[in-house]
Amino acid sequence: MITSVILIAVLASAALLLWPRVASAPLWRATVTPLASIIGSGFLVLGPILHVSFGWYAPLIMGVLCAGAWAFGSAIRFNIARRAAGERSVTEEWLETAASWTLAFAYFISVAYYLNLFGAFGTELTPWRSPYHARLLTSAMLLVIIFVGWFWGFRALERLETLSVSLKLAMIAGLLAGLAWFFAGKATSGELVASAPSLSGWPAIALIFGLIVTVQGFETSRYLGAEYDAATRIRSMRLAQILSTVIYLIYILLIAYVFRPDAVPLSETAIIQLMALVAPILPILLTAAALAAQFSAAVADTGGSGGLVTELTGGRIATRTAYALLVAFGFIFTWAFDIFEIIAYASRGFALYYAIQSAIAAQGARCERRGGLGIFYSLLAVTGLAMAIFGAPAE
């Protein structure tokens, strides 16, 4: 029965998302890019990390992460509106350049993050399940990235984004349907559990700081100016963050009270083992969704980083050269760090970017003589800087 529920949810969601009236709607097409980035890699690793680390109050921590992302998103939306109005000061433009450099560097780390998850999930259900073989697969994918980017570019692959996002969301709908059925069964039989947290105090805060990358991605709306006007980008970012928040909160709520923390060892692929306890079909669906999501995200961030570096250097560093630097960086991260350390480093990079965007918004609010808003964005900038300095990996 649970397998039937999962398949019905997947097929119904896919039919809705691929329906031409939905797929071709301008607002939905503008929402797809940030939504794909937010609900990607983070969805795969966040559930087990929060469950093991925070126990029964994992949904509250998820809410905190989503609220933090919404606050940073509000700063970026404020900046989009000011840029469209043409009212930017010299300080804002200077900080924008610094933010773009920071984002380009954060992309370097995020590609390593995405492809290391690709390697882990790609080997999880095979006889070669080990960190060494996962790193080998990650290295092979890095070579594929540089080969495709160097000779053909990523335009053709990027056209598949809407299709891959729709299928990924359909599979997530199936996962949530299966979890809801499993949760209901545990609830009716009185088998729900409330696990004690394993972290508290400063270590818990540092871990939260190190997880901001798992709800990152909304900032991509900022860079869709060539395709959509400012109002559409602002609406699409809000919609993407609302949808992702609802999905994340339901997901964590359903996980937090049905599994014991020691049900499976904490690893980057722990969600696969947990879902095997729910229904045999879920590990297969999740693996397929993971491979598609990680590769498409890596392609998007490689292309974005290469374009940014070339633009920021006035063409002195060619896009191909930027791709090569990114891949070299990816090899170093792959063989020097584990996935949880890479997540923490990626979080630090994006937190610094959000700190600078918040500083831009604070300066813009002061220019508009909106003192209260300026103070809020200044505090947000300090928070982002603290995340960049103190973010810690899960252990």
Side-chain angles (χ1 to χ4, degrees):
M1 175 62 80
I2 192 170
T3 300
S4 299
V5 169
I6 292 168
L7 290 176
I8 290 171
V10 170
L11 294 174
S13 300
L16 174 63
L17 294 170
L18 295 175
W19 185 29
R21 288 190 63 179
V22 173
S24 61
L27 180 59
W28 176 246
R29 285 191 286 109
T31 303
V32 159
T33 298
L35 187 61
S37 296
I38 299 170
I39 305 182
S41 307
F43 191 87
L44 300 169
V45 299
L46 195 55
I49 291 175
L50 292 185
H51 178 49
V52 169
S53 303
F54 299 103
W56 65 268
Y57 65 92
L60 175 62
I61 301 303
M62 186 72 254
V64 169
L65 280 169
C66 290
W70 182 268
F72 286 125
S74 73
I76 296 175
R77 290 190 289 272
F78 180 83
N79 294 337
I80 290 173
R82 271 188 61 80
R83 190 183 186 91
E87 300 174 347
R88 305 262 280 191
S89 66
V90 174
T91 302
E92 289 171 89
E93 292 296 343
W94 182 86
L95 286 172
E96 191 66 63
T97 300
S100 295
W101 273 112
T102 303
L103 183 61
F105 184 70
Y107 279 154
F108 274 42
I109 309 175
S110 67
V111 171
Y113 161 41
Y114 295 141
L115 292 183
N116 271 271
L117 275 182
F118 184 101
F121 279 86
T123 57
E124 175 66 18
L125 300 180
T126 73
W128 302 280
R129 177 188 167 194
S130 72
Y132 173 74
H133 288 100
R135 286 185 168 108
L136 283 181
L137 180 54
T138 296
S139 300
M141 295 312 298
L142 283 165
L143 293 176
V144 169
I145 287 285
I146 186 62
F147 186 81
V148 172
W150 191 275
F151 291 103
W152 292 293
F154 298 117
R155 294 285 184 185
L157 294 176
E158 288 171 348
R159 294 191 191 102
L160 298 174
E161 182 179 50
T162 301
L163 175 61
S164 65
V165 170
S166 297
L167 293 178
K168 179 177 68 176
L169 290 176
M171 291 180 186
I172 287 174
L175 167 66
L176 295 180
L179 275 173
W181 189 275
F182 190 71
F183 183 97
K186 292 286 187 179
T188 55
S189 61
E191 296 179 21
L192 294 180
V193 296
S195 307
S198 62
L199 287 181
S200 61
W202 176 250
I205 295 173
L207 176 59
I208 294 170
F209 284 175
L211 291 175
I212 191 65
V213 73
T214 59
V215 289
Q216 162 271 331
F218 50 87
E219 74 285 342
T220 53
S221 295
R222 156 73 178 77
Y223 298 95
L224 297 176
E227 301 172 59
Y228 305 102
D229 59 30
T232 300
R233 284 181 287 141
I234 289 171
R235 288 178 63 203
S236 70
M237 188 194 295
R238 285 200 185 106
L239 180 57
Q241 287 199 281
I242 291 170
L243 288 174
S244 62
T245 296
V246 171
I247 291 170
Y248 267 128
L249 288 176
I250 294 173
Y251 167 58
I252 299 301
L253 184 67
L254 293 175
I255 280 184
Y257 305 109
V258 295
F259 302 109
R260 296 181 59 83
D262 57 357
V264 299
L266 180 60
S267 70
E268 63 270 30
T269 56
I271 188 64
I272 294 290
Q273 300 170 56
L274 281 178
M275 293 306 100
L277 301 175
V278 177
I281 195 174
L282 280 179
I284 299 171
L285 288 178
L286 270 182
T287 300
L291 296 181
Q294 302 329 299
F295 185 71
S296 63
V299 165
D301 281 11
T302 301
S305 180
L308 268 176
V309 170
T310 299
E311 178 184 331
L312 291 168
T313 60
R316 288 187 292 275
I317 296 180
T319 304
R320 287 179 172 180
T321 304
Y323 294 159
L325 290 172
L326 181 147
V327 168
F329 207 82
F331 274 111
I332 293 171
F333 265 72
T334 296
W335 292 97
F337 304 107
D338 66 38
I339 186 64
F340 291 133
E341 290 174 311
I342 297 174
I343 289 173
Y345 281 118
S347 283
R348 289 179 174 186
F350 281 104
L352 182 57
Y353 171 76
Y354 295 147
I356 298 173
Q357 284 288 340
S358 299
I360 296 170
Q363 174 64 21
R366 283 192 289 271
C367 289
E368 294 183 3
R369 301 185 183 280
R370 299 169 68 180
L373 196 60
I375 292 172
F376 171 71
Y377 287 139
S378 295
L379 292 174
L380 201 58
V382 172
T383 303
L385 187 60
M387 288 179 168
I389 296 172
F390 298 112
E395 296 180 357

